[in-house]
Amino acid sequence: MTRAIEAVAFDAYGTLFDVHSVGALAEAMFAGQGARLSAAWRVAQIDYTRLRTLSDRYEDFLKVTEDALVFASKTLGLDLDADRRARLMAQYDCLSAYPENVAVLGSLRRMGLKLAILSNGTPAMLDAVLANAGMQGLFDHVLSVDAIRRYKTAREAYDLGPAAFGYPPARIVFVSSNGWDVCGATWYGYRTFWVNRPGNALEELGVRPAGEGRDLNDLLAFVGS
Amino acid sequence: MTRAIEAVAFDAYGTLFDVHSVGALAEAMFAGQGARLSAAWRVAQIDYTRLRTLSDRYEDFLKVTEDALVFASKTLGLDLDADRRARLMAQYDCLSAYPENVAVLGSLRRMGLKLAILSNGTPAMLDAVLANAGMQGLFDHVLSVDAIRRYKTAREAYDLGPAAFGYPPARIVFVSSNGWDVCGATWYGYRTFWVNRPGNALEELGVRPAGEGRDLNDLLAFVGS
């Protein structure tokens, strides 16, 4: 890549932080069901962001996340009492960061790139998870869709990156582990990189990210090439 | 209910027609994987309608349905050759209708109610499935979102009902088996009825359909009450 790239915007949940790290606590609460609860919780969480955006019924990501936990628990027939509910929700403040993150973010900064998070999470949720992972200060911008009350993949959500950096989206690399998010961002006009840790199939949406790798280390090669 | 209701609009896929009836053919092709393929296909199909609507990248439901089949097959590692793909897609023209449908639709008509389908499907897809189920002539309107190029749960999709009937949504019962669809329609302003055949948990979206039942026979009691 010729150095047309000026900045990198990262999705948070699933990309920098492992949303399934809640599965261990869920497994301790509901033996044999932790992974299923974690997966169903995530599916409902994403569904609710889309449905609320399509119908202009925004509620913030903390509320959506808790609603999704309640629905997933009911669907699986699990007894989610107030204590379990609070402890599972609290995990969202201390999701595991993927191990290579901090070194890669430091390398990108030394290359002179500006960095941002562009997330569905609320500012308070993002502050907490960044602080607990020791990742404050690594980002020039922590951008939350809460400012515009529409979730990704709405255009207004992706607008936050160019607005904050002052560069057009083609000069910003957008990084996500979520196939639908990289597709939405590619449609929008970002230069996109898909962190495809599990080796998933690409979504059949008629669009392809500019780059793909197995973890953030592969992003370094992509940006530096 | 006092007789403020003038019309009934039905979702098609999942509500009048069983989308998992393709599972039998899928099972014959991919032993032990038919139900998984049918479920993954449906999830991707719905996801793609939402993503394309959020990003204003409409492709019609036939295209979205075939894309979803390709993605679901890749995700499950199944060899979807051209013949299997064509035969599975052809099933969409002859989905099984739920057995009580025709009698209930006839009863509603005898009550003087106007009837419509309001579906994500293309006009051609809806014509074919209705013809194969012997259900032509039962509906005053067959409304496809293809006319406005946005999928449910976008407001423009639900607008089709009031526009066709000439009644406000509060005087139209909207019937769907899909929890997210009844929630979207309730937000929009329809009087809603959820056909909850499997006894699913209600989506946690802060909204509740006006009525709920196990099949379309329960709709008769709801409308007549």
Side-chain angles (χ1 to χ4, degrees), chain B residues 98-114:
Chain B
Y98 289 101
E100 78 279 11
N101 286 6
V102 172
V104 170
L105 293 169
S107 296
L108 293 169
R109 287 178 69 84
R110 283 191 295 277
M111 293 166 71
L113 294 164
K114 298 288 183 186

Side-chain angles (χ1 to χ4, degrees), chain A residues 47-48 50-55 57 67 70-71 74-75 153-155 180 187 201-206, chain B residues 47-48 50-55 57 67 70-71 74-75 153-155 180 184 187 201-206:
Chain A
D47 281 351
Y48 290 178
R50 294 174 185 167
L51 290 167
R52 289 191 170 281
T53 300
L54 284 167
S55 291
R57 297 275 174 163
D67 288 346
V70 170
F71 177 74
K74 285 183 180 173
T75 294
T153 57
R155 167 162 292 272
W180 52 269
W187 275 334
L202 182 66
E203 300 285 354
E204 294 286 330
L205 288 165
Chain B
D47 281 351
Y48 291 178
R50 294 174 184 166
L51 291 166
R52 288 190 170 281
T53 300
L54 285 167
S55 291
R57 297 276 175 163
D67 289 345
V70 170
F71 177 74
K74 285 183 180 171
T75 294
T153 55
R155 167 162 292 271
W180 52 269
W187 275 333
L202 183 65
E203 300 285 354
E204 294 286 329
L205 288 165

Side-chain angles (χ1 to χ4, degrees), chain B residues 23-207:
Chain B
L25 177 59
E27 180 64 24
M29 290 179 181
F30 306 109
Q33 300 276 8
R36 286 182 70 207
L37 177 59
S38 176
W41 184 4
R42 175 69 173 164
V43 167
Q45 181 192 48
I46 299 300
D47 281 351
Y48 291 178
T49 62
R50 294 174 184 166
L51 291 166
R52 288 190 170 281
T53 300
L54 285 167
S55 291
D56 284 320
R57 297 276 175 163
Y58 183 80
E59 295 281 355
D60 76 24
F61 200 60
L62 190 68
K63 166 77 167 141
V64 159
T65 299
E66 189 154 11
D67 289 345
L69 172 58
V70 170
F71 177 74
S73 301
K74 285 183 180 171
T75 294
L76 297 177
L78 303 176
D79 176 26
L80 185 75
D81 61 24
D83 172 67
R84 287 168 169 164
R85 179 169 164 165
R87 283 192 292 142
L88 283 167
M89 284 298 296
Q91 283 291 306
Y92 247 82
D93 286 347
C94 37
L95 296 176
S96 306
Y98 289 101
E100 78 279 11
N101 286 6
V102 172
V104 170
L105 293 169
S107 296
L108 293 169
R109 287 178 69 84
R110 283 191 295 277
M111 293 166 71
L113 294 164
K114 298 288 183 186
L115 304 185
I117 283 179
L118 198 173
S119 170
N120 280 341
T122 65
M125 292 171 78
L126 294 170
D127 285 351
V129 75
L130 284 169
N132 286 326
M135 290 168 65
Q136 316 106 303
L138 288 174
F139 296 95
D140 299 283
H141 305 283
V142 177
L143 306 171
S144 164
V145 303
D146 197 57
I148 49 94
R149 299 172 64 86
R150 291 175 68 76
Y151 289 103
K152 293 185 279 184
T153 55
R155 167 162 292 271
E156 297 87 342
Y158 292 123
D159 278 340
L160 293 169
F165 287 126
Y167 297 116
R171 295 176 69 185
I172 304 169
V173 175
F174 183 88
V175 182
S176 181
S177 65
N178 298 297
W180 52 269
D181 193 13
V182 274
C183 287
T186 306
W187 275 333
Y188 177 83
Y190 284 105
R191 189 160 173 83
T192 48
F193 186 84
W194 184 23
V195 184
N196 185 12
R197 299 179 193 277
N200 285 337
L202 183 65
E203 300 285 354
E204 294 286 329
L205 288 165
V207 67

